[in-house]
């Protein structure tokens, strides 16, 4: 990833082994990630998972995975991939939802971001 965007990419990490497993699985395949699958990876109840996750990261699971997906999307866009392909590839059902989320996090549209990187 180019230096222009490197400063933006910082996801909290965990030390709890179950939460680390979940994070690694989520980062490996952000599109396929869902809460039920992550609960199985963690071997925890939903309540315990949410409590431990927030305690380790200071973020909710939903906010963390949304940010992880968008960071992954930014890497794909920086490679020059098409916005529609990236949106689908990171798990967004609609291009408009992806564009809105990306713009809210990054401060610019996915197209503008891609054009700055390529």
């Amino acid at each position: 990833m180019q230096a222009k965007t490197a400063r933006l990419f910082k996801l909290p990490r965990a030390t709890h082994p179950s939460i680390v497993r979940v994070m690694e699985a989520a980062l490996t395949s952000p599109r396929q990630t869902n809460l039920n699958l992550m609960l199985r990876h963690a071997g925890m109840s939903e309540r315990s998972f949410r409590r431990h996750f927030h305690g380790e990261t200071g973020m909710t699971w939903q906010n963390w995975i949304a940010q992880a997906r968008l960071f992954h999307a930014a890497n794909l866009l920086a490679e020059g991939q098409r916005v529609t392909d990236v949106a689908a590839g990171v798990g967004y059902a609609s291009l408009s939802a992806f564009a809105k989320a990306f713009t809210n996090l990054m401060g610019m549209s996915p197209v503008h971001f891609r054009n700055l990187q390529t």
Side-chain angles (χ1 to χ4, degrees):
M1 180 176 11
Q2 295 181 3
K4 294 179 197 175
T5 58
R7 64 180 170 75
L8 300 173
F9 300 112
K10 195 144 190 135
L11 274 177
R13 299 297 296 191
T15 57
H16 189 286
S18 295
I19 303 300
V20 170
R21 268 196 317 275
V22 165
M23 289 177 159
E24 289 172 354
L27 293 172
T28 299
S29 183
R31 181 181 185 193
Q32 304 301 322
T33 300
N34 65 59
L35 181 59
N36 289 330
L37 179 61
M38 295 302 106
L39 293 174
R40 285 193 298 266
H41 276 299
M44 296 177 158
S45 70
E46 183 174 346
R47 184 171 182 231
S48 290
F49 173 76
R50 288 184 186 280
R51 186 178 70 249
H52 283 288
F53 195 93
H54 190 271
E56 290 272 327
T57 65
M59 297 177 79
T60 65
W61 162 251
Q62 292 87 348
N63 288 341
W64 188 90
I65 192 60
Q67 193 165 317
R69 285 180 174 136
L70 293 171
F71 287 172
H72 183 65
N75 285 320
L76 298 174
L77 291 168
E79 293 171 2
Q81 293 190 29
R82 292 180 32 198
V83 175
T84 45
D85 295 339
V86 170
V90 297
Y92 279 83
S94 79
L95 182 57
S96 62
F98 170 71
K100 182 178 180 181
F102 190 92
T103 301
N104 284 341
L105 181 66
M106 304 299 284
M108 66 184 79
S109 73
V111 171
H112 185 71
F113 179 86
R114 186 191 62 207
N115 291 342
L116 288 174
Q117 304 305 308
T118 55

